[in-house]
Amino acid sequence: MAKKKTRQNVPAIIITVAATLLAAAAVIFLIITISGSESGQPSAPPDEPGFPAELVEEMEQAAYDLLPENYRIYRYLTQGMSVKEEPYGNPPEDGFYTCVNDDFPTFDAFCEYVRSIYAAETAEKLLTNPFGNGPVYGVDNNGLGISVDFKPSDDPGLSWADVSFVCLPVSETLCSITLTLKDADGNDVEKTVNMLSEDGSWKLSDMVG
């Protein structure tokens, strides 16, 4: 029993620390994004020929709203959430630690949030098998749980602290978004993701991080 307690406590502590960093990073992202221009709006190209200005503005606003939420999900899936300790430090019998997150009291609440950001096919992949080795999150004691096999990524990834993006309408229901992030050396790195209209709402076609 003692050996199990020592082994299982380490990832729980790592997940807790990672979740704290996530909260701070999310705040930084929002502050920098909002202050990226004098108007508080993301940079965007002039009105695209053939597309009404109202539609272009709608796309820009949707991207402005969705990208911080995407970053939040990306961090949850790569860094995890805080969890409750199991009795005596044993691994959970159902394969999931119970998450401590007031925003998502249940797995259904987490699913609803993910589905509000991504197109249906992408959302289901992120919820069931985001990285090819099974789900990261699931039901645990009627709440939200994180897989006992989850290990936070040690890859710092790209910085979103000074992110900028440009929307390029492709059709009335499709828009291409080019983001400019920073690598560890401060160099610009461009990422592209599509945004599409699905059931009357704009959704991202993929997770970008």
Side-chain angles (χ1 to χ4, degrees):
M1 297 292 286
K3 291 183 178 179
K4 287 184 178 180
K5 183 174 182 179
T6 301
R7 185 172 63 253
Q8 294 300 325
N9 280 348
V10 173
I13 293 172
I14 293 175
I15 293 171
T16 302
V17 172
T20 302
L21 295 176
L22 164 61
V27 172
I28 292 172
F29 173 88
L30 290 171
I31 292 173
I32 296 298
T33 302
I34 291 171
S35 62
S37 65
E38 291 183 0
S39 64
Q41 295 296 319
S43 58
D47 293 350
E48 295 295 327
F51 295 100
E54 294 81 2
L55 177 62
V56 175
E57 183 178 352
E58 178 184 325
M59 290 176 173
E60 293 169 357
Q61 185 60 55
Y64 184 73
D65 293 337
L66 289 172
L67 289 173
E69 308 300 341
N70 162 85
Y71 178 67
R72 188 182 182 192
I73 290 298
Y74 173 76
R75 296 289 291 182
Y76 280 147
L77 289 175
T78 58
Q79 300 300 317
M81 297 183 187
S82 298
V83 300
K84 293 180 181 178
E85 289 284 352
E86 292 291 312
Y88 307 108
N90 290 327
E93 294 182 359
D94 63 358
F96 289 91
Y97 287 103
T98 301
C99 294
V100 182
N101 190 313
D102 292 338
D103 292 333
F104 309 112
T106 65
F107 180 58
D108 284 345
F110 183 72
C111 290
E112 183 178 350
Y113 178 66
V114 173
R115 290 169 181 150
S116 72
I117 301 167
Y118 301 100
E121 185 176 347
T122 299
E124 292 312 303
K125 177 183 177 182
L126 295 177
L127 291 169
T128 59
N129 193 19
F131 306 119
N133 52 4
V136 173
Y137 294 96
V139 178
D140 182 71
N141 295 324
N142 297 319
L144 176 64
I146 189 168
S147 173
V148 68
D149 297 322
F150 174 79
K151 293 180 177 60
S153 173
D154 56 5
D155 181 0
L158 298 173
S159 172
W160 286 63
D162 193 21
V163 62
S164 62
F165 65 91
V166 174
C167 294
L168 179 63
V170 177
S171 72
E172 292 188 354
T173 58
L174 181 65
C175 174
S176 176
I177 306 172
T178 299
L179 300 90
T180 302
L181 308 174
K182 299 287 186 181
D183 64 15
D185 296 321
N187 299 314
D188 288 346
V189 178
E190 287 193 351
K191 294 270 189 172
T192 301
V193 64
N194 287 332
M195 184 176 67
L196 53 92
S197 180
E198 184 179 85
D199 298 327
S201 299
W202 290 102
K203 307 286 181 65
L204 297 178
S205 63
D206 293 292
M207 182 175 70
V208 57

